[in-house]
Amino acid sequence: MEKKNCLILALDVTDRENALRIANEVSEYVDSIKVGYPLVLGEGLGIVKELAELAPVIADFKVADIPNTDRLICEHVFNAGADAIITHGFTGRDSLDSCVKVAEEYDRDVYVVTEMSHPGGVEFFRPVAETIAQMAADAGATGVVAPATRPERVRDIRKIIGDDLHIISPGVGAQGGSAADVINAGADWVIVGRSIYNSDSPADAAMRICNEMKC
Ligand code: O7M
C-alpha cells in the first residue's frame, strides 16, 4: 500500500449503494479501503472488485484457522481482487506461514492482529501481543494491527517489530483514539470507520483526519 494520506477507511456499512457512494466520496483521502464481514455478508465478495477500482482493498476476515483452511480463505480473497488480508496470530506460526505463503504467491500483503482496540482487547491479547508481533516479523508479514486507543501499546509494538513492518491502527474517533497521537506513537496508518461513514460529509470528515495527522 502506498503511503499518501496515512488513512484507511473501514467500510462497515452493509449495502452496496452506500458503500460505493461513501468510497467514491472519500477515495482521494484514503490509501486503502478495509472491507470486512458486515459488507461482504451483506453484499457478497463481489463488492471487493468494485471497490478495488477506487482504492486498494484490505480484506478484514481476521483469519483464524488451521493452515489448510487459512490457505483456502486467502486464495479466495486474493482471487476476488483484495490487495491484502488481515489474519489473527494466536492460531500459531504454521497458520500464519500459510497466509504469508499465499500472499507471496499472489504478491499481496498480510497484516496480523496483535492487541485489539476495544476494552476487552486487553483480557486475552495483552499478555501475548508482543509475542504475536515478534512472530509476525519472523514470519515475514507486511505489518501488524495495533490499537489507536492505546498509543503506548503501539509504541511498545513498534519497538518489537522495528521499522520493516507497518502498523495499521484502528480505534480513532468513535472508540476514543486520536489519529495524531497514534501516528506520533509509531503507527503508519489509522483505520477509521464510523467517524467517516456516519458523517453528513464523509469527505470532509476524512479530510479533517488527514489534516490532523499531517502525514
Ligand atoms: O472507526 P470504527 O470504530 O467505526 O471502526 C474500526 C474498524 O477497525 C472496524 O472495522 C473494526 O472491526 C476494526 N478493528 C477495531 O476496531 N479494533 C481492532 O482491534 C481491530 C480492528 C481491525 O480492523 O482488525 C483488523
Side-chain angles (χ1 to χ4, degrees):
M1 168 172 40
E2 200 187 333
K3 202 194 269 195
K4 286 188 285 194
N5 297 305
C6 298
L7 178 60
I8 297 168
L9 170 67
L11 195 50
D12 293 327
V13 296
T14 53
D15 69 287
R16 176 178 176 274
E17 198 185 321
N18 250 330
L20 292 177
R21 176 184 58 79
I22 293 162
N24 265 298
E25 281 180 37
V26 306
S27 63
E28 66 177 295
Y29 300 110
V30 302
D31 294 342
S32 182
I33 298 172
K34 184 178 80 72
V35 171
Y37 293 110
L39 184 54
V40 169
L41 292 177
E43 288 293 351
L45 195 55
I47 192 73
V48 168
K49 216 170 216 95
E50 291 190 87
L51 291 168
E53 285 169 19
L54 300 170
V57 171
I58 301 178
D60 177 10
F61 292 124
K62 297 189 179 70
V63 183
D65 217 309
I66 60 167
N68 186 59
T69 307
D70 283 1
R71 174 181 65 79
L72 294 168
I73 294 168
C74 291
E75 286 173 356
H76 219 68
V77 161
F78 294 145
N79 283 332
D83 208 62
I85 192 149
I86 293 176
T87 175
H88 270 303
F90 62 75
T91 42
R93 177 69 188 263
D94 53 352
S95 291
L96 177 56
D97 281 345
S98 176
C99 293
V100 170
K101 183 165 179 285
V102 180
E104 282 170 358
E105 284 162 15
Y106 281 75
D107 194 20
R108 310 287 165 89
D109 292 328
V110 175
Y111 296 92
V112 184
V113 177
T114 57
E115 177 176 307
M116 294 192 74
S117 59
H118 61 308
V122 300
E123 286 176 31
F124 297 101
F125 274 113
R126 169 68 57 85
V128 294
E130 274 95 347
T131 311
I132 290 176
Q134 185 63 60
M135 180 179 67
D138 294 344
T142 315
V144 298
V145 183
T149 46
R150 296 178 215 105
E152 73 283 3
R153 295 297 288 151
V154 170
R155 218 168 253 122
D156 293 343
I157 284 162
R158 173 57 77 198
K159 278 187 206 137
I160 305 243
I161 62 174
D163 291 331
D164 289 345
L165 269 69
H166 293 144
I167 298 180
I168 60 177
S169 186
V172 166
Q175 296 181 51
S178 144
D181 286 356
V182 76
I183 292 291
N184 287 337
D188 295 287
W189 281 274
V190 293
I191 300 171
V192 184
R194 285 164 287 180
S195 300
I196 294 175
Y197 66 73
N198 282 341
S199 164
D200 289 339
S201 171
D204 287 349
M207 188 179 63
R208 273 197 300 276
I209 295 165
C210 290
N211 288 342
E212 182 196 329
M213 290 188 289
K214 296 188 190 73
C215 145

